[in-house]
Amino acid sequence: MIDQTLPSTAGQRLGAPESFGVSTLEPGLRPPTQSPGRQVCIRVQMLDDTQEVFQISQRSPGKVLFDLVCAHLNLTEGDYFGLEYQDHRKMMVWLDLLKPTLKQIRRPKNTILRFVVKFFPPDHTQLMEELTRYLFALQIKRDLACGHLICNDTSAALMVSHIIQSEIGDFDETQSWQHLLHNKYLPDQDAIRDKITDCHRKLVGQTPAESDYQLLEIARRLEMYGVRLHPAKDREGTKLSLSVAHTGVLVFQGYTKINAFNWSKIRKLSFKRRRFLIKLRPDPTQNAHHDTLEFAMSSRDCCKVFWKICVEYHAFFRLFEEPKPKPKPILFTRGSSFRFSGRTQKQIIDYVRDSELKKVPPASEDSPLGSPHVVVNGNGSVNDLGMGSTGGLGPEGRQLSPLTSPLLTEAGYVRNDDEDEARRKKFPTDKAYFIAKELLTTERTYLKDLQVVTESFQSAVGKDEAFPDSVKNLISANYDPVYKFHQGFLKEVEQRLAQWSGRSNAHIKGDYQRIGDVLLKNIQGLRQLTVHLQKHSECLVELERVCRTSRKVETLCREFEQQRVCYLPFNIFLLRPLHRLLHYKLILERLCKHYPPTHDDFRDCRAALADISEMVLQLQGTMMKMENFQKLLELKKDLTGIDNLVIPGREFIRLGCLSKLSGKGLQQRMFFLFSDSLIYTSRGMTPLNQFKVHGQLPLYGMTVQIHIFFCLKFKQTLKIKTSLVEFMERWVEDIRMAIDLAEQSSSPNTDLLSTSPSDNKDGGAEQESEEELCGSRSSLERQGQRGNTTVHVCWHRNTSVSMVDFSVAVENQLSGNLLRKFKNSNGWQKLWVVFTNFSLFFYKSHQDDYPLASLPLLGYSVTVPLESENIHKDYVFKLHFKSHVYYFRSESEYTFERWMEVIRSATCSASRSLPSTRKDLY
């Protein structure tokens, strides 16, 4: 006898006993009030194929029915969904929430509405509730089965394996094979059945919630994700299809996207009879004759259906709030009165994030909070999908839908506006949660940085024959295992944080509000990779060697650094694994300091801290050498006229913008202090915006005198002035310390840096063209990617940084979501923000491959807003430099303090100087 396992349902997975029918769509609302009059039964098919019957008044608008469905599911993020049905023209249309339902559905007894996903966000992490993600997973499952979600066999097999894992659990040869025989997930499933079972075999231990997450992660990357094709033809009669997405209007030929029109480029969408018109904004860079695109559809009704969904998509993803209705005309009407109804995506995210729901006593059968409107049809299932032991019985002995929300266990919830803000500040109450969340957010950024090395760099330069196989294999052999390990580590951290924050019922077990066990296990695993970490310095040295000996390889590497994915100098990415060890150590130190010794998590955190401290101590020498080596390599790219900057024994100490007194008066110069020499430069006009060397002084035998200027004497006298007295003190302190080191460790050497013949070696009588003077005053905002290096920022901001600052910056890296507001704007924009290398990098989400913009922080000040600035929000800090002002809002007191701490480490960098011993660097 075959033991056929039925797929798990939402009730089984999410542990919901019954529904009390409380809507959470709007703050404090009960199920929608029915208009007086005769009641009509409407049948709705859910995403799990069960059918529910809802009773509504004859005059009720579509919103009443839709709210009843969402109230029955206790679905907070219901606005992502919609009700669709086949009208009298045999066309699939969406139920208009503003019009009476029965004016749209002419034969309600013979019509079944389908509750489906209507708006597909680009990133499933924007879905805050596990129930919402589960419903999206059911939508993906349905689209795969009916052939709407077109993809290759590998992606299809992987998605089906995650579906099966969520339904029957871990792989079992007989059970999994029989399950595939009795369930159809793909139109051509039999052809790739073996591939599906191979994928399922690798998912042992993965929970249903994780399976949903991974399913959506794969699906969102597919070109046909969320795409509903509307047949059309272009002006030449070529058969095409139109679709709409969060980005704008898409054009397909078959299942291949051939064009996309972003919302920002579209001026107007309209239709006239069978013609659908897209009017574009004029592009000043192109001499385009036609700014209107025309597509022919099969009928006017088809045009109108597509136009409506375009209007709704634009409003949902682009507007801050629901558009207000147009005033009714007195005499004549022109055009359609149709508008989007419901909350926009921004309103949903804000509401779910800010609201904390409060329990109320259970509702009785006869109370208004009961669910008298919900009637399940007789068999309770469709297509013989059994209920098993999932639903139990409701108040009237009815079998409940498996999609009853887990948010209701003993009672319903409504929002208490008076206590909402105070409760939001207190949850979660444990500071350890936010420390663990910092581990999660920085680990996501770290994995993206590793991906630059293991994928982006290898694909960009590794295929070129000029790039040596030995270096390619060296990098691959020592970074790929680290990347693979941290993929698993990140997955564990994400799972633990999801359980800790209460987005699943796992936190009820009380064993998930800790992170030390996850850290201890993975740091012990990381120790097994020490041999690879020790090889990373060799990778950096070998890459520099081949760049020095091969102009073609050097060009390949420089071209890669111009790509957007390489948002930092590439050598920094090569050192990221060593940097990450320091981050783990600091996070564990904060956890151990926070926990009392009696806490359950203290022992694991302390053991993990001991292990990571041992690794840091073991690799400390390598870290210090490689940090200095990497900094010399970076400066080599910024300077012209130096052939041997990178030599054994030379250490970088400080760089900064100073004013040098000459016969022409004070002239802006960029100074670079090394352990054996001091050089000064001006910004040249090379394509790479390099700095041209004007003079160099050996430190051996140099003396320093301080007056209004500070003077450096060695065969010639340099008079130098800083913008602030404290800057002068730091420079003088570092130069004197460097002179002492030079005199203790070497003999006089006046030919420290060889320069090219074109360079001017006369430090006192340097010449400067008018072109160079003009170039030196160009703004930082006009620079390209190379123009935003630390050297260029110091030049434009008239500031200075030392090697100690760079070492501190290595430790003070942070990632996470922040809300940003400009000085004169009203709204807050949610961004994924990465702080590293003295800069903020802005992304739409943590899954983006490259930043949208960056903000170098050297020279900025960080404070809290004044009362007069009218920023009436908590956890807000302010960044300002001259007239530039930005406000950033964090989610908690801990994250606010951390952002202030790390940003101050960059904005106050000039106040630090080199310690008396290099051992203080780490």
Side-chain angles (χ1 to χ4, degrees):
M1 180 177 178
I2 296 175
D3 181 17
Q4 183 180 349
T5 304
L6 293 172
S8 67
T9 59
Q12 288 173 313
R13 291 179 42 184
L14 303 178
E18 59 178 296
S19 170
F20 292 89
V22 181
S23 174
T24 56
L25 280 177
E26 299 292 347
L29 287 185
R30 296 178 177 180
T33 304
Q34 296 282 354
S35 304
R38 189 169 65 89
Q39 301 286 302
V40 178
C41 292
I42 302 292
R43 198 184 320 174
V44 177
Q45 181 172 316
M46 301 298 184
L47 278 164
D48 63 345
D49 287 337
T50 59
Q51 291 186 9
E52 311 288 348
V53 176
F54 299 89
Q55 293 181 353
I56 62 170
S57 168
Q58 278 185 318
R59 289 179 287 176
S60 295
K63 181 172 173 55
V64 170
L65 176 61
F66 182 73
D67 283 356
L68 279 174
V69 177
C70 294
H72 174 63
L73 298 175
N74 258 332
L75 181 59
T76 307
E77 299 171 295
D79 299 83
Y80 285 104
F81 301 84
L83 293 170
E84 66 174 1
Y85 65 97
Q86 191 178 58
D87 67 3
H88 65 284
R89 301 161 299 185
K90 304 298 182 182
M91 296 176 60
M92 294 302 297
V93 296
W94 294 101
L95 184 71
D96 191 324
L97 302 186
L98 298 179
K99 292 182 178 180
T101 301
L102 294 187
K103 283 193 176 182
Q104 304 176 67
I105 305 173
R106 298 185 178 182
R107 303 174 65 187
K109 291 184 179 180
N110 300 325
T111 303
I112 299 177
L113 286 83
R114 296 197 308 167
F115 181 79
V116 294
V117 176
K118 186 174 185 179
F119 302 109
F120 289 81
D123 185 356
H124 58 90
T125 59
Q126 296 172 344
L127 306 175
M128 309 300 287
E129 300 288 337
E130 184 179 341
L131 174 61
T132 314
R133 292 193 292 272
Y134 174 66
L135 294 174
F136 266 74
L138 289 180
Q139 182 70 60
I140 298 303
K141 175 183 173 182
R142 169 177 287 183
D143 290 348
L144 279 171
C146 67
H148 285 164
L149 187 55
I150 306 298
C151 60
N152 58 44
D153 289 349
T154 301
S155 297
L158 196 54
M159 286 191 286
V160 172
S161 69
H162 285 296
I163 295 172
I164 297 174
Q165 176 71 17
S166 71
E167 292 180 347
I168 68 173
D170 291 344
F171 176 79
D172 177 86
E173 190 76 44
T174 304
Q175 184 187 34
S176 300
W177 191 259
Q178 294 295 339
H179 188 79
L180 278 171
L181 285 176
H182 292 86
N183 293 276
K184 201 73 170 176
Y185 297 103
L186 297 168
D188 54 349
Q189 180 173 297
D190 295 341
I192 60 170
R193 191 181 302 166
D194 292 337
K195 187 175 287 189
I196 295 172
T197 55
D198 289 341
C199 293
H200 186 201
R201 189 180 284 110
K202 300 174 183 177
L203 303 180
V204 174
Q206 185 168 284
T207 66
E210 290 179 293
S211 298
D212 290 348
Y213 185 94
Q214 296 299 329
L215 173 64
L216 296 177
E217 175 66 21
I218 298 167
R220 78 177 186 90
R221 298 176 182 274
L222 300 176
E223 193 165 68
M224 296 297 293
Y225 168 68
V227 169
R228 297 293 180 264
L229 297 177
H230 297 255
K233 293 180 181 180
D234 63 9
R235 289 176 182 269
E236 287 73 33
T238 305
K239 290 185 178 180
L240 303 170
S241 294
L242 300 181
S243 185
V244 63
H246 68 281
T247 55
V249 179
L250 313 178
V251 183
F252 286 81
Q253 191 164 32
Y255 295 113
T256 303
K257 184 170 68 175
I258 61 173
N259 212 340
F261 303 102
N262 196 283
W263 294 123
S264 61
K265 297 181 180 179
I266 296 176
R267 183 165 58 90
K268 183 180 179 181
L269 293 175
S270 61
F271 66 94
K272 187 174 182 181
R273 298 187 179 90
R274 296 172 55 247
R275 293 180 295 142
F276 184 79
L277 307 174
I278 304 176
K279 293 186 178 181
L280 302 177
R281 299 184 186 278
D283 188 348
T285 63
Q286 298 179 3
N287 295 323
H289 298 288
H290 300 285
D291 65 344
T292 301
L293 301 173
E294 182 179 309
F295 298 91
M297 306 187 87
S298 59
S299 67
R300 179 186 182 277
D301 291 335
C302 292
C303 274
K304 187 171 184 178
V305 167
F306 183 62
W307 174 79
K308 281 185 174 182
I309 189 60
C310 287
V311 170
E312 292 183 307
Y313 252 82
H314 177 268
F316 183 79
F317 286 108
R318 298 279 287 185
L319 300 186
F320 286 154
E321 58 186 19
E322 178 183 354
K324 296 179 181 179
K326 299 177 182 178
K328 292 185 178 180
I330 299 175
L331 295 177
F332 303 102
T333 62
R334 181 180 179 183
S336 174
S337 62
F338 176 78
R339 66 181 176 89
F340 169 74
S341 174
R343 294 179 300 182
T344 65
Q345 187 189 34
K346 182 182 184 303
Q347 289 177 308
I348 299 172
I349 294 174
D350 289 346
Y351 172 65
V352 175
R353 182 192 297 114
D354 293 341
S355 66
E356 173 61 26
L357 303 174
K358 180 182 178 183
K359 286 188 176 183
V360 296
S364 65
E365 281 182 36
D366 300 324
S367 79
L369 289 178
S371 51
H373 303 290
V374 182
V375 182
V376 182
N377 62 321
N379 60 4
S381 62
V382 180
N383 297 336
D384 297 323
L385 178 61
M387 300 291 290
S389 59
T390 60
L393 297 178
E396 300 173 8
R398 302 191 307 269
Q399 194 171 20
L400 295 172
S401 166
L403 292 183
T404 304
S405 172
L407 297 179
L408 293 181
T409 52
E410 300 176 345
Y413 292 78
V414 295
R415 179 177 177 178
N416 187 326
D417 289 320
D418 295 335
E419 300 178 7
D420 174 69
E421 188 66 18
R423 293 173 69 90
R424 183 183 64 81
K425 296 176 187 176
K426 295 179 182 177
F427 180 80
T429 57
D430 192 357
K431 179 180 177 181
Y433 169 79
F434 293 105
I435 300 176
K437 191 169 183 180
E438 180 182 334
L439 170 68
L440 170 65
T441 56
T442 53
E443 189 72 13
R444 283 172 171 167
T445 299
Y446 170 55
L447 201 65
K448 279 290 185 183
D449 288 350
L450 282 180
Q451 200 172 345
V452 174
V453 179
T454 59
E455 296 182 10
S456 303
F457 180 74
Q458 294 281 35
S459 63
V461 305
K463 297 177 182 179
D464 197 291
E465 295 180 356
F467 197 83
D469 289 338
S470 58
V471 180
K472 183 198 316 179
N473 296 335
L474 180 66
I475 293 175
S476 178
N478 291 289
Y479 283 88
D480 289 355
V482 177
Y483 176 66
K484 185 176 181 181
F485 170 83
H486 283 281
Q487 280 182 307
F489 183 22
L490 176 60
K491 186 177 177 181
E492 289 187 44
V493 175
E494 287 178 331
Q495 178 182 355
R496 177 58 55 87
L497 265 292
Q499 294 165 336
W500 195 339
S501 63
R503 290 186 184 176
S504 68
N505 278 357
H507 66 286
I508 298 174
K509 300 176 183 178
D511 194 36
Y512 296 101
Q513 296 183 350
R514 56 178 183 158
I515 196 66
D517 57 329
V518 176
L519 277 165
L520 179 59
K521 171 192 169 187
N522 284 278
I523 286 175
Q524 289 174 344
L526 188 59
R527 295 186 68 175
Q528 308 302 316
L529 298 175
T530 303
V531 62
H532 296 296
L533 297 176
Q534 290 172 332
K535 285 279 189 179
H536 289 179
S537 60
E538 183 180 340
C539 295
L540 180 58
V541 172
E542 281 299 299
L543 183 61
E544 192 278 332
R545 181 187 61 80
V546 296
C547 287
R548 190 176 66 250
T549 57
S550 171
R551 183 64 63 86
K552 181 66 181 297
V553 174
E554 181 185 21
T555 302
L556 286 173
C557 292
R558 288 209 178 199
E559 288 176 350
F560 176 72
E561 283 196 328
Q562 297 301 313
Q563 295 185 16
R564 290 184 292 181
V565 71
C566 191
Y567 65 98
L568 297 171
F570 179 67
N571 290 336
I572 292 181
F573 292 104
L574 292 176
L575 297 181
R576 276 294 192 247
L578 297 178
H579 298 166
R580 192 59 179 156
L581 300 180
L582 295 171
H583 303 159
Y584 294 144
K585 182 173 180 286
L586 293 170
I587 286 172
L588 282 162
E589 286 174 348
R590 284 196 289 273
L591 284 168
C592 289
K593 184 178 179 180
H594 167 69
Y595 285 136
T598 55
H599 195 280
D600 293 340
D601 207 21
F602 179 77
R603 178 179 295 181
D604 285 340
C605 288
R606 186 173 60 179
L609 178 59
D611 285 346
I612 198 66
S613 298
E614 183 179 342
M615 290 185 67
V616 170
L617 185 63
Q618 182 181 357
L619 296 167
Q620 178 175 321
T622 301
M623 288 186 194
M624 292 175 60
K625 291 178 181 177
M626 288 302 104
E627 278 295 322
N628 181 70
F629 183 61
Q630 183 273 327
K631 186 50 59 184
L632 292 176
L633 292 177
E634 185 179 341
L635 294 178
K636 180 182 175 182
K637 297 175 184 176
D638 284 316
L639 299 176
T640 179
I642 297 179
D643 296 330
N644 62 340
L645 181 65
V646 184
I647 62 173
R650 175 171 292 149
E651 294 184 23
F652 165 73
I653 297 177
R654 180 179 286 275
L655 65 86
C657 186
L658 301 171
S659 297
K660 175 183 169 294
L661 184 63
S662 69
K664 296 181 179 180
L666 288 175
Q667 294 180 322
Q668 184 180 358
R669 293 288 178 261
M670 198 71 191
F671 280 73
F672 300 85
L673 176 63
F674 301 97
S675 58
D676 57 357
S677 62
L678 175 72
I679 67 172
Y680 54 97
T681 67
S682 66
R683 184 168 169 271
M685 296 300 294
T686 66
L688 297 176
N689 295 316
Q690 292 170 300
F691 285 80
K692 178 182 176 183
V693 174
H694 282 275
Q696 49 186 301
L697 297 173
L699 296 182
Y700 191 92
M702 181 181 287
T703 60
V704 182
Q705 297 177 359
I706 304 178
H707 302 288
I708 299 176
F709 300 83
F710 69 88
C711 303
L712 305 176
K713 292 187 176 181
F714 177 80
K715 294 187 178 179
Q716 66 183 49
T717 300
L718 261 69
K719 293 185 178 181
I720 305 170
K721 185 178 181 180
T722 63
S723 57
L724 295 173
V725 174
E726 61 194 70
F727 287 6
M728 178 187 294
E729 293 173 353
R730 302 303 174 188
W731 269 103
V732 170
E733 183 179 348
D734 284 350
I735 291 173
R736 282 177 171 167
M737 183 275 302
I739 291 172
D740 291 341
L741 291 177
E743 291 180 345
Q744 293 171 10
S745 61
S746 66
S747 58
N749 183 2
T750 59
D751 189 24
L752 293 169
L753 303 174
S754 63
T755 58
S756 59
S758 61
D759 287 329
N760 184 3
K761 300 225 173 98
D762 182 4
E766 63 213 67
Q767 300 297 318
E768 186 170 51
S769 68
E770 185 66 27
E771 185 180 26
E772 287 175 326
L773 284 171
C774 295
S776 67
R777 290 192 289 268
S778 63
S779 69
L780 181 64
E781 287 72 16
R782 286 195 285 268
Q783 300 306 312
Q785 192 157 331
R786 281 297 303 165
N788 278 344
T789 65
T790 306
V791 177
H792 288 83
V793 176
C794 287
W795 171 264
H796 289 281
R797 303 271 172 83
N798 197 22
T799 188
S800 168
V801 291
S802 69
M803 189 62 197
V804 178
D805 300 323
F806 286 106
S807 300
V808 171
V810 165
E811 297 181 359
N812 287 305
Q813 297 180 22
L814 197 59
S815 308
N817 286 312
L818 288 175
L819 299 177
R820 183 185 67 180
K821 178 182 180 298
F822 296 108
K823 181 178 179 180
N824 297 318
S825 65
N826 295 321
W828 294 83
Q829 180 185 14
K830 181 182 178 181
L831 295 167
W832 177 261
V833 184
V834 174
F835 172 77
T836 186
N837 208 39
F838 308 110
S839 298
L840 293 177
F841 296 90
F842 303 104
Y843 302 75
K844 288 186 68 176
S845 80
H846 69 86
Q847 294 172 327
D848 290 353
D849 292 327
Y850 51 83
L852 301 171
S854 64
L855 178 64
L857 295 182
L858 290 172
Y860 267 79
S861 299
V862 57
T863 58
V864 293
L866 300 173
E867 187 69 27
S868 59
E869 294 176 87
N870 295 321
I871 305 295
H872 303 299
K873 299 290 183 181
D874 292 323
Y875 315 132
V876 176
F877 59 90
K878 170 185 173 183
L879 286 173
H880 54 99
F881 173 74
K882 296 183 179 179
S883 62
H884 303 283
V885 177
Y886 306 93
Y887 301 98
F888 293 92
R889 181 182 171 195
S890 54
E891 65 174 342
S892 68
E893 183 179 1
Y894 172 81
T895 51
F896 167 76
E897 291 174 351
R898 283 291 293 138
W899 279 106
M900 290 285 284
E901 177 186 350
V902 299
I903 291 176
R904 278 179 178 146
S905 73
T907 57
C908 301
S909 62
S911 65
R912 288 185 294 268
S913 63
L914 192 69
S916 58
T917 170
R918 298 288 290 173
K919 293 180 181 177
D920 295 339
L921 282 177
Y922 287 90

